Amino acid sequence: MLGIDTCLAEVMAIPGALDAMLVDNTSGMAVAFSQASGVDADRSAAALTEALRATTDGLARTCPGDVVRIDDMMVTTDKGHHLLRLMETVFEGPLVIYVRLDLERSNLALARHRLQSIAGRLTT
């Protein structure tokens, strides 16, 4: 089982990773984050949590009667890729791993696969 610091270090080792954060999905608080210049981790964590809730709500309204559970979410902007991996942990509750990737230096498929692996080792 990975610790939080090791988890964050492994996320930052993903090729093209610019910054990363571990977010408590219930409270919207940053549990851990890499040092990104000029970024307010607490405000960013709250905004990411709100985006996930809005997406879940939107999907639930689109698919009435279905159980909606998001595994991961990808957003691409003009400056980079943003990946979020949701997971349930035994002790910490629902957590989200977030990583911002350089648009030119990253490989989305590899990053998604690595996040899935890291999340699996954090929750077991």
Side-chain angles (χ1 to χ4, degrees), residues 39-104:
V39 174
D40 182 338
D42 290 327
R43 290 186 70 196
S44 294
L48 290 170
T49 301
E50 198 57 40
L52 285 168
R53 287 182 185 147
T55 301
T56 302
D57 185 50
L59 291 172
R61 292 173 190 265
T62 304
C63 309
D66 290 351
V67 175
V68 176
R69 185 180 73 79
I70 296 174
D71 290 327
D72 55 29
M73 191 164 96
M74 295 178 273
V75 176
T76 300
T77 65
D78 60 340
K79 302 278 183 181
H81 302 293
H82 304 262
L83 297 181
L84 296 102
R85 179 74 186 179
L86 288 82
M87 61 192 159
E88 287 289 330
T89 60
V90 177
F91 300 110
E92 300 293 328
L95 294 176
V96 177
I97 301 175
Y98 163 78
V99 62
R100 182 172 61 100
L101 301 162
D102 181 89
L103 194 62
E104 301 297 323

Side-chain angles (χ1 to χ4, degrees), residues 1 3 11 13 17 21-22 24 32-34 36-37 50 55 85 88 92 105 118 121:
M1 183 166 154
V11 172
M21 188 177 339
L22 197 57
D24 180 324
F33 54 93
S34 65
S37 59
E50 198 57 40
T55 301
R85 179 74 186 179
E88 287 289 330
E92 300 293 328
R105 297 182 309 120
I118 293 166
R121 289 184 290 131

